[in-house]
Each structure stands twice: as C-alpha cells, then as structure tokens.
Amino acid sequence: MSGSIHARQGLLLVLNAGSSSIKFSVFEVEPGGAPQERFGGQVEGIGGAARFTVKSSDGEPVGEHAWPEGVTVDHEQALHQIDDWLNAHLQGRAFLACSHRVVHGGLKHAAPVLIDDAVLTELEALCPLAPLHQPHNLAPIRAMRARLPNLPQIACFDTAFHRGQSEVVQQFALPRAITEAGVRRYGFHGLSYEYIASVLPQVHPRLANARVIVAHLGNGASLCAMQGGRSLASTMGFSALDGLAMGTRCGALDPGVVFHLLREMRLSPEQVEHMLYHDSGLLGMSGVSNDMRALRARATEPQVRQALDIYVHRIVREIGSMAAVLGGLDALIFTAGIGEHGVDTRAEVLQGCRWLGLELDAERNAASAACITRGDPAETPSAWVVPTDEEGMLARHALDVLARTA
Ligand code: ADP
C-alpha cells in the first residue's frame, strides 16, 4: 500500500489517456506530505471536434481552447496542447515524474513500475489483451520519452489490484492451454478500488477488515469484493466488457450471442465489437442516452424505465455473486459518478439488497451522506458513499516508486 515517507518537493504530472480523451492533473508535493492537486484538465473529443479545458483545484476554469470547426485533433496534437498550457502556467518548474494510468499490466505487474525500454516492450506486448485501450495509454509514454528522456515515468495498472485473487477466481472453464495463453479474468478499475481500500479504515474502523463490496458505477462499471485491503473477486474479467451493464457496454453476455451475431446476423467481428463496446448498455437499451442524469430525467418513458430497471437488476444480481465469494456482506460502498451522485440508483440497488440486511435511510441517501443505511454500522450491514480518487492514487504511486528507486 502506498503512503511511504518521502523527502520530495516539486510537481507531479498525472496522465490518463483514453481513445477519445487525455485527462491530466498536476500535483504539488511537499516533503512528507500527501500530493495535493493543483490543476486538472482534459482534451475531450479527440478524433473529432476536440475541446481543451483546465480547472484549478477549487473548480475555477483556468484554461480553455476549442479547435476550429472541421479540424480533427489527434492524440499527438492533444498532448502538444497540454504541454503548451503547462509550459505557460508552471513558471518553468520541472516535473519530478509523470504517472500514467495503463489499463493492462498482464500477469506480471501487481504494482506500479518505473518505465524503461524493457517495461515498455512488455507493455506493448499486452496490446492484444486490451486493443481498444492499451495503445492509447502507451502512446503518450512514448511521446514524453522522446521529448523528456530524463523524466521518470511510472505506469500504474488497472489490473494490478486484482493480481492477488486466487487461481480459482481468475480462471475461466476453458482448456488449460487457452488459460496458459493468458485468457483469464484480470479485472479492471483497480486504481479506484485501491484508493477506496486505502480510505476504508477512516470511513469506519469496522470496515478495515470487513467483507466489503465496492460498486464503481461510472461510464464503465464494475464491482469488487474485497477484504482487508485485498481484491477477492471482480465482475470485470478478460476485458472491460464483462459484468455489469454500463453506459454503452453490454456487460456479461452469453458467448453464444456473439456467434449468432456473426453467423446468423452476418455482422463482422469489428461490427460486433463496436456494438458491444459503444452501442449497448444504457444507451442501447434506452435508445436515448448513456448518461444517467439524462435517463433519470426521462424515467417515466417506458423504454428508459426498463433500461434503468435492467441496469439495477444486473447490479443487484452481481452483488449476490460477490457476497457469495465473501461468505456474506458487512458493507456496500458506492463510488464514481453514478455511485457518488445517483440517489435513485442507490435507493433502487439497496431495495434489491434488503435480503443482505441493508436498510436504506432515504434521508441520508438523498443528502449523499457518508452512511446511507439505518442501524449501527458496527453491528449491522451498512452502505456508504465514498468518492474515489484515481488521479490521487496515480500521484501517490509515483511518489512511492520514486522512493523505491532513488
Ligand atoms: P467515467 O467512467 O467517465 O470517469 P464518471 O465516474 O464521471 O465516468 O461517471 C459518469 C456517470 O455519472 C454518467 O452516467 C453521469 O450521468 C453520472 N452522474 C454524474 N452526476 C450525476 C448525478 N448528479 N446524478 C446521477 N448521475 C450522475
């Protein structure tokens, strides 16, 4: 777990590069202290009409740029824009390190790692395991190595937190040779889960060693069964498609459906992949939007109502599955956009989890209070709202890796 004592002072850059956006944060580090976020921004809409925005830590807009209509912005240009803004606003201060979110660390990486040529080659070899994400994560690493060869760069993996799961949990019921070729459950959202695990003892002392399910409900969504700061199981598996229904992703699907789409409905593999990643989930079911706020505003429309019901039903079912792994449940934690703000979704999920002993406190839920169930959390199962902080986790990891490798 991170949080070692360090004597560093300076700035850390955190990058989270996806297929259509690059998010970045700048953290200030004082000797012995936790990194404090100064700025956070992003270029969104890469590949189309892109927009650059930056906010200070108190939410004030401090930078903005929109490219002219018809101009298509690629990742390289987006990175340039971020670089230009940083150069103009950091008064020549250099970074101690840059910490990158990388989706896949494979079987080997159970912890963040300082990037060198050998590590980069290893991570590139993992691209076939996450072809839609890994190449986008690695491109800025390569670009920054070319620009600033002496800047320490650190890779933090979404899979790492789940590496300690038992073999029984990790393996599919597939022929052994396929498992040995790397086709197994990896799990994702690990930086979010690791952050939540790190703050659970402060949320309530009972939670430190309790049987906990964390529901990370953002655009992507998954559950993690954890105890004592360790991941025991997760709903995401080989890819970020498995498990819960999401904004645009289908979640768990009978593999026979894929054969049907390919053979009988004559879709190409690329069309099926696009459908399962981008046209399914809340968007596909509702025909309206992938955005939970937009759907809740139209929840009286039958198709939207049904999409919301299916979304919640799948969460409740999978909570049952995670509770089985844990042998019961002491606490359920809601986090990420929908988990932190989706009052109705939380209420509906808790309604479906009464059999686990969770009793919704409607007032506390409406106020997004920390604990949103009735009863004494030291005595009865409880549910909580805990904001996640993946960027903060990336910054803490960078400091730890610097301390380890100094
Ligand atoms: P990402 O996975 O892209 O980081 P977020 O964690 O930001 O996504 O979650 C985005 C989701 O959170 C969207 O579906 C959005 O509608 C939902 N969300 C954000 N604020 C609210 C709110 N006040 N009520 C309900 N849902 C919300």
Side-chain angles (χ1 to χ4, degrees):
M1 185 56 60
S2 67
S4 48
I5 305 293
H6 64 90
R8 303 274 175 172
Q9 181 162 26
L11 297 175
L12 286 173
L13 178 62
V14 160
L15 280 187
N16 179 355
S19 55
S20 66
S21 71
I22 301 180
K23 295 182 184 152
F24 72 98
S25 300
V26 176
F27 285 82
E28 185 89 50
V29 178
E30 300 290 345
Q36 302 295 323
E37 190 170 2
R38 289 283 172 259
F39 304 109
Q42 60 180 331
V43 178
E44 339 164 58
I46 294 174
R51 197 161 162 258
F52 170 78
T53 49
V54 197
K55 287 181 177 168
S56 61
S57 54
D58 51 13
E60 282 299 307
V62 289
E64 198 171 354
H65 178 75
W67 282 264
E69 217 167 290
V71 172
T72 300
V73 174
D74 61 20
H75 283 78
E76 184 62 23
Q77 290 163 303
L79 211 54
H80 260 295
Q81 171 66 35
I82 294 172
D83 206 24
D84 286 350
W85 189 89
L86 291 172
N87 284 334
H89 289 81
L90 298 179
Q91 285 97 33
R93 294 178 69 194
F95 288 109
L96 294 169
C98 178
S99 190
H100 298 263
R101 182 178 183 181
V102 176
V103 68
H104 224 299
L107 286 180
K108 182 170 167 188
H109 294 291
V113 63
L114 187 67
I115 298 167
D116 58 18
D117 288 340
V119 168
L120 196 50
T121 305
E122 265 170 36
L123 300 184
E124 273 164 358
L126 296 171
C127 283
L129 293 181
L132 303 186
H133 298 97
Q134 191 87 342
H136 296 300
N137 302 155
L138 301 185
I141 299 177
R142 252 182 267 109
M144 292 196 60
R145 274 164 72 81
R147 244 176 262 178
L148 299 166
N150 295 323
L151 178 72
Q153 297 200 67
I154 290 119
C156 305
F157 306 102
D158 267 317
T159 50
F161 186 63
H162 304 294
R163 293 294 339 119
Q165 290 175 359
S166 76
E167 277 296 312
V168 168
V169 166
Q170 287 185 57
Q171 291 192 21
F172 292 118
L174 286 170
R176 195 152 288 278
I178 303 294
T179 305
E180 280 163 11
V183 180
R184 49 166 68 223
R185 305 182 66 86
Y186 290 96
F188 299 92
H189 289 138
L191 292 160
S192 174
Y193 293 131
E194 191 179 7
Y195 174 79
I196 299 287
S198 76
V199 297
L200 280 183
Q202 287 114 270
V203 173
H204 192 282
R206 165 94 198 276
L207 302 184
N209 285 305
R211 296 164 298 178
V212 174
I213 297 173
V214 182
H216 177 107
L217 307 177
N219 277 314
S222 68
L223 304 179
C224 179
M226 63 171 74
Q227 187 161 27
R230 291 182 47 234
S231 166
L232 301 187
S234 162
T235 55
M236 274 186 177
F238 177 69
S239 73
L241 270 186
D242 202 4
L244 307 181
M246 309 176 212
T248 62
R249 289 175 239 162
C250 58
L253 188 73
D254 176 347
V257 172
V258 175
F259 298 118
H260 183 79
L261 294 173
L262 291 169
R263 199 183 297 124
E264 306 303 325
M265 301 188 79
R266 303 211 169 268
L267 299 181
S268 68
E270 290 74 25
Q271 286 172 317
V272 175
E273 187 174 56
H274 194 274
M275 179 197 292
L276 302 188
Y277 273 99
H278 300 293
D279 296 336
S280 300
L282 288 169
L283 173 66
M285 294 187 289
S286 68
V288 167
S289 174
N290 64 323
D291 191 293
M292 182 55 84
R293 276 167 297 193
L295 295 176
R296 289 288 170 188
R298 293 173 61 171
T300 50
E301 294 173 30
Q303 227 168 274
V304 174
R305 184 65 259 169
Q306 193 176 54
L308 293 169
D309 289 345
I310 294 168
Y311 178 81
V312 168
H313 168 72
R314 296 282 293 274
I315 297 172
V316 171
R317 261 181 83 155
E318 293 289 345
I319 284 174
S321 149
M322 293 292 114
V325 172
L326 290 164
L329 179 71
D330 299 312
L332 174 62
I333 312 286
F334 290 95
T335 195
I338 299 168
E340 290 167 30
H341 307 291
V343 174
D344 297 331
T345 301
R346 289 196 305 252
E348 288 164 17
V349 168
L350 287 177
Q351 190 62 30
C353 292
R354 293 185 66 184
W355 65 280
L356 283 164
L358 295 167
E359 284 290 339
L360 172 72
D361 183 322
E363 261 175 51
R364 295 176 67 84
N365 183 45
S368 292
C371 182
I372 56 170
T373 40
R374 297 209 186 108
D376 179 355
E379 307 284 337
T380 56
S382 52
W384 305 77
V385 180
V386 181
T388 194
D389 185 5
E390 289 161 301
E391 281 73 27
M393 203 65 230
L394 287 162
R396 280 157 63 177
H397 277 318
L399 274 185
D400 286 349
V401 171
L402 288 178
R404 271 207 322 263
T405 54

